[in-house]
Amino acid sequence: MIELRTPSELREMEAAGRFVADTLTALAAEVSVGDNLLDIDAEAHRRITEAGAESCYIDYHPSFGASPFGHVICTSVNEGVLHGLPHDRTLADGDLLSLDFAVSVDGWVADSAISVVVGAAAPADLKLIDTTQRALAAGIRAAVPGNRMGDISAAIGKVAKRAGYRTNLEFGGHGVGRTMHGDPHVPNDGKPRHGLVLEAGLVLAIEPWLLATTNRIIREDDGWTLSAADGSRGAHSEHTIAITDEGPLVLTARADGIGIPDNAILPAGVSVTGA
């Protein structure tokens, strides 16, 4: 069921968006060579507990997961791109790390993802990350009343294909509200002017993810981590946004401005210093 949120409900959702944004900003800035994925998860868990928030992941057990997730953040490394299950792994120089984080604050959920390179970055990895960020901004730019879901999807796919990447339609964005995953589905490619008509009050997680040389994924033995079938690297960028008459409201906006298009509006108290 698709639900539209009132302006007052969107204001209530801003706290969750701000917490997710601030946590990802801090984790991405602090991560370094030699860090363990379990320590990253523990720090995210500490922040959740301190804030009185609630993880959307620990007990999450959808049909595509082998068991309850058991952790509070997805940590996908190199060929891993989605649903990376934290485990005893030390990050090495040049690793590409994607962090995907969703929490509930006062009953409202926000969901966001960021990809970074730990240590020295290869140009190909930076291009891959940049493409997901530009695709995210393009998708958000199209999230205005009167457009259709296909306009968001087509905008994402256009950026990806122009950069030389292929898209995968098995996993994409989704509705967000009282729960982490809801209707509608937001594919990462599509046809303009097709699909659901976008209305003010619709809240979506838009999340382009790309693999360097394939669009095929496999599930790892941990039952959760989705990786490139050919072992190439992956990157993932995501924001939770609300469609409004004034423009797309980026609930998980970070100060770096990444993924935020020029027609977006920001929650109260949030400012962008530059991408």
Side-chain angles (χ1 to χ4, degrees), residues 24-272:
L24 283 180
T25 296
L27 293 176
E30 294 168 2
V31 69
S32 61
V33 175
D35 286 351
N36 191 289
L37 298 183
L38 292 176
D39 291 335
I40 296 172
D41 180 69
E43 174 60 15
H45 204 162
R46 184 193 68 77
R47 289 172 176 270
I48 289 172
T49 301
E50 187 176 86
E54 182 179 347
S55 171
C56 295
Y57 288 165
I58 285 184
D59 298 322
Y60 188 51
H61 189 188
S63 59
F64 54 79
S67 60
F69 191 73
H71 295 271
V72 302
I73 191 167
C74 295
T75 54
S76 303
V77 183
N78 295 337
E79 70 276 7
V81 66
L82 295 176
H83 309 160
L85 189 69
H87 60 285
D88 185 12
R89 174 173 180 165
T90 299
L91 292 170
D93 188 40
D95 277 347
L96 198 169
L97 173 67
S98 296
L99 300 172
D100 190 356
F101 188 56
V103 300
S104 174
V105 175
D106 297 328
W108 294 107
V109 172
D111 188 4
S112 187
I114 186 172
S115 291
V116 297
V117 177
V118 182
D125 290 344
L126 294 179
K127 177 191 173 186
L128 184 64
I129 293 171
D130 177 70
T131 303
T132 65
Q133 294 169 347
R134 291 189 294 106
L136 175 59
I140 294 173
R141 186 177 295 111
V144 295
N147 273 0
R148 292 178 177 266
M149 188 63 72
D151 294 308
I152 296 176
S153 300
I156 293 169
K158 183 177 181 179
V159 172
K161 285 179 280 191
R162 281 188 170 179
Y165 302 111
R166 289 174 283 174
T167 54
N168 175 295
L169 301 182
E170 295 173 76
F171 293 90
H174 48 88
V176 178
R178 293 293 188 181
T179 60
M180 176 173 59
H181 287 151
D183 294 327
H185 176 61
V186 187
N188 284 327
D189 200 3
K191 295 181 179 180
R193 310 311 303 162
H194 283 67
L196 176 76
V197 176
L198 305 178
E199 299 181 67
L202 181 62
V203 181
L204 303 171
I206 299 177
E207 51 179 315
W209 59 274
L210 296 169
L211 302 168
T213 58
T214 185
N215 61 354
R216 294 181 55 245
I217 52 175
I218 58 171
R219 189 170 71 170
E220 299 291 352
D221 291 341
D222 63 19
W224 273 99
T225 305
L226 298 178
S227 298
D230 65 356
S232 62
R233 295 197 168 196
H236 180 199
S237 295
E238 175 183 19
H239 276 310
T240 294
I241 67 105
I243 295 170
T244 78
D245 291 326
E246 292 74 34
L249 170 63
V250 184
L251 291 163
T252 54
R254 301 187 304 273
D256 58 24
I258 288 172
I260 302 176
D262 52 12
N263 68 332
I265 57 177
L266 303 178
V270 176
S271 61
V272 168

